[in-house]
Amino acid sequence: MSRFSPANLRLAQEIIRRYPVAKSATIPLCHLAQEQDGYLADDSMAQIAELVGCSSAEVLGTASFYEMFKMHSVGKFCLGVCTNISCQLLGGEELLEHAEQTLGIRPGGTTADGLFTLEDVECIAACTEAPAVQVNYRYFHRLTPQDLDQLIEELRSGALDGVVPAHGTLGKVRQDLGEDRIANITPPEDQTEPVWLRRHRELAEAAAAADAGTPSAVGNDS
Amino acid sequence: MIGTVTPASKMAEGVPAVVSSRFGVPDGHTLAGYTSSGSYKGYEALRQVLEMSPAQVGSVVKDATVLGRGGAGFPAGVKWGFCPPGVWPRYIVVNGDESEPGTYKDRLLMERDPHQLIEGCLIAAYAIGAAQVFLYARGEMPHAHERLAAALNEAYAAGLIGKNILGTDFSVDIVLHWGAGAYIVGEETALIESLEGNRGMPRLKPPFFPAAKGLYMAPTIVNNVETLANLPWLFNHGVEQYRSVGTEASPGTRLIALSGHVNNPGIFEIPQGTTTFRDLFESEIYGNGIRTGHELKMFIPGGASAPWFFPEQIDLPLEGRLIGGQGSMLGSGAVVVMDETTDAVRAALRLVRFFARESCGKCTPCREGTTWEEKILQRILDGHGRPSDIDLLLDVADNISPGPYPVAADPGNDLEAIPFPPRQTTICPLGPSSVAPITSAIRRFRHEFEAKIVQRDLISVSSEPFTDLPEQSSLAHGAVGHV
Ligand SMILES: Cc1cc2nc3c(=O)[nH]c(=O)nc-3n(C[C@H](O)[C@H](O)[C@H](O)COP(=O)(O)O)c2cc1C
Ligand code: SF4
Ligand code: FES
């Protein structure tokens, strides 16, 4: 049975068609599955394997390498506090400790109400806005412990639902690259020279031949 | 809403905003904004380029000396020339995996000016004859994905990407791809592995130089986001104007993320090679001074992988080769300032922990070595260090990167700089990067390590077996279950 919903299955097939080699779609499809279910389920990985043409062990092998894929359900909000250098210098580690106390969990843990999973994360590219936090990968900058408490409160009350979607949701806008749009998918075995390059090469060769006073070399294989 | 400050970006007088001119424009990310604001008119460069031959386009980029902004600083035009002639297809992979601690510029370029990057990709694709462009953005940046997806959709609809671009015979697709959280995927061969749907583990170079054997073993050009974002301005203003900013060897500007203990942290576009660290830290338009009431202790000139600099190096200009000769690197344009309140051991541990967590596990010196480095530093910080630990740390480091390790000059101690890059026993430079904070900190602040180790004797902890230490380290990727 399909773990993907019919709409997501269609989307998965469209995503696969963008790549010259289907297996390249593995990570985007794992994201799609996680977006649908909030985590990456075993039967999703089995279905992805079937779709991209590899074994489900290979999909697990790939997915387990990457931090973002969760193999079991996590809180509605994944709260990642950056403790890397720029944030550490401005109180990131203390902020994480504060979050542990407020939520009553350690990094990696989920609150009993299933709302929050806390994470001690590496640099999230917001270093000038330290200490920085992400909630389901949406940014919050320069937080004091009080700001963090307020943020947690607002998340809990649903006040930020429009800003922070549920865990697993990535970009709310998708690239629209259906079959009618794609210009060309070139698999590695298709070894033709792109037309605009060929045109310019032939022009250059003809010009060189004219300069040398010889007939055009175009088409001469020797 | 709480905590949503927009980063500053101010320019020194007379410096053109090559890549950051739309950072402050509210609709700079849309097609309408891109064609009506900023330091050039959007998609004009593409029109011009389509009237040139691909070879001419390549020459312009070569003549301008557009240095790679991803870390190694290799000139883009030269790299493009490495594709073996007559071998097809060729691919372009855009490296938007920005995750080097301290680095924050590619995300802004993707979020605030996605069309600039798209136009840069198209110019590169036209020049090298790319069959397809894959734009690999870091997974943890959904807002960048949204902006890029929207911009791509708009550009497709306007006939700027896809089939017969602007009515010519140039056709190419740009596929937005995104990662899922792994620093090592920023390394170009790991990026390619990841794009092929695999674990992001680097390949050996040689033979797997991407320009010869890259994505699907075909010739592939990997360029950083900022590198490509330079191209539209370059083609609008010409080589001469591009080269009139910065220095002969390093023309143009760079985006620098200045973070840590300064009054005004931010992203600044500065001329390469002429701005010094002192300008950057002290000038009102940039850092506006070390945190008031404090003084500079050390700084990282180019991201977590770079050996540290100290107050003596503050008058060096931000220029790749000079910094390399002085024992460090400009890397990804991430400058992290640390004042006297910073505990050198704690800072080194945090950086080393990063490399231990992010090691892909493919080679033993890195996989095992970074874990050991982290454990030893942790026990020193916790007051359980042993007198032999400093030597042990240096010994483990030496197994990953056989010394002498690059270091900054230390005039007081008559020590000369040992130039960057370091040697390595590993497949990629991640392992050796973990050595940078250790050697930097021990060489300069050995007394801080010793003080913590002596402290241990004072609290008279009996000699505990190594294995009983608190387990702080998370092993390499995938070796531990996900939380
Ligand atoms: C461990 C490691 C991480 C890297 N991370 C990035 C990165 O996040 N973004 C990037 O553009 N380059 C990164 N690089 C450099 C790339 O390997 C590559 O040199 C670069 O993308 C080439 O683009 P450029 O020539 O335009 O600079 C990294 C290198 C290493 C060794
Ligand atoms: S040095 Fe480290 S990150 Fe690089 S390939 Fe080896 S194990 Fe992987
Ligand atoms: S160090 Fe925290 S965001 Fe970069």
Side-chain angles (χ1 to χ4, degrees), chain B residues 342-358:
Chain B
T342 314
D343 179 333
V345 180
R346 194 172 156 198
L349 168 63
R350 186 61 191 85
L351 291 165
V352 166
R353 202 186 97 179
F354 168 74
F355 294 112
R357 273 179 155 194
E358 298 296 331

Side-chain angles (χ1 to χ4, degrees), chain A residues 21 24 188, chain B residues 82-84 87 89-93 134 188-196 198 203-205 207-222:
Chain A
V21 176
S24 283
Chain B
F82 288 160
C83 290
V87 181
R90 293 172 179 171
Y91 300 107
I92 291 180
V93 179
F134 297 94
E188 55 187 9
T189 58
L191 188 74
I192 288 171
E193 279 289 330
S194 178
L195 185 52
E196 290 184 3
N198 303 324
R203 297 172 176 172
L204 263 179
K205 296 189 279 189
F208 300 112
F209 285 110
K213 287 185 185 315
L215 184 64
Y216 316 126
M217 290 297 134
T220 303
I221 295 298
V222 180

Side-chain angles (χ1 to χ4, degrees), chain B residues 50-83:
Chain B
L50 291 178
E51 296 189 354
M52 299 163 71
S53 74
Q56 282 168 331
V57 176
S59 310
V60 170
V61 176
K62 212 167 169 174
D63 293 345
T65 320
V66 179
L67 299 180
R69 268 46 167 195
F74 197 80
V78 178
K79 188 194 274 186
W80 295 1
F82 288 160
C83 290

Side-chain angles (χ1 to χ4, degrees), chain B residues 184 200-203 358-367 370 400 424 426-432:
Chain B
I184 188 57
M201 290 177 158
R203 297 172 176 172
E358 298 296 331
S359 166
C360 81
K362 191 166 180 172
C363 30
T364 317
C366 169
R367 184 186 61 241
T370 51
I400 305 175
Q424 62 189 60
T426 51
I427 294 170
C428 91
L430 184 144

Side-chain angles (χ1 to χ4, degrees), chain B residues 349-437:
Chain B
L349 168 63
R350 186 61 191 85
L351 291 165
V352 166
R353 202 186 97 179
F354 168 74
F355 294 112
R357 273 179 155 194
E358 298 296 331
S359 166
C360 81
K362 191 166 180 172
C363 30
T364 317
C366 169
R367 184 186 61 241
E368 301 298 322
T370 51
T371 310
W372 274 69
E373 287 170 345
E374 186 195 342
K375 282 192 177 180
I376 300 165
L377 280 166
Q378 183 76 58
R379 73 176 173 199
I380 294 176
L381 188 71
D382 291 345
H384 301 298
R386 302 165 187 184
S388 56
D389 273 353
I390 298 181
D391 287 339
L392 181 58
L393 263 178
L394 292 173
D395 190 46
V396 174
D398 196 67
N399 282 331
I400 305 175
S401 179
Y405 196 84
V407 281
D410 188 355
N413 293 312
D414 281 339
L415 287 168
E416 302 237 328
I418 297 167
F420 202 81
R423 293 195 287 169
Q424 62 189 60
T425 59
T426 51
I427 294 170
C428 91
L430 184 144
S433 296
S434 74
V435 176

Side-chain angles (χ1 to χ4, degrees), chain B residues 66-76 79-80 93-100 103 105-106 138 182-191 202 205 210 221-228 254 305 331-332 354-355 358 424 428-431 433:
Chain B
V66 179
L67 299 180
R69 268 46 167 195
F74 197 80
K79 188 194 274 186
W80 295 1
V93 179
V94 185
N95 193 342
D97 194 55
E98 182 167 72
S99 8
E100 171 88 9
T103 313
K105 57 170 182 92
D106 296 338
R138 181 174 168 182
Y183 162 69
I184 188 57
V185 163
E187 195 281 333
E188 55 187 9
T189 58
L191 188 74
K205 296 189 279 189
I221 295 298
V222 180
N223 268 137
N224 171 257
V225 164
E226 187 186 348
T227 311
L228 295 171
R254 278 207 65 158
S305 304
S332 49
F354 168 74
F355 294 112
E358 298 296 331
Q424 62 189 60
C428 91
L430 184 144
S433 296

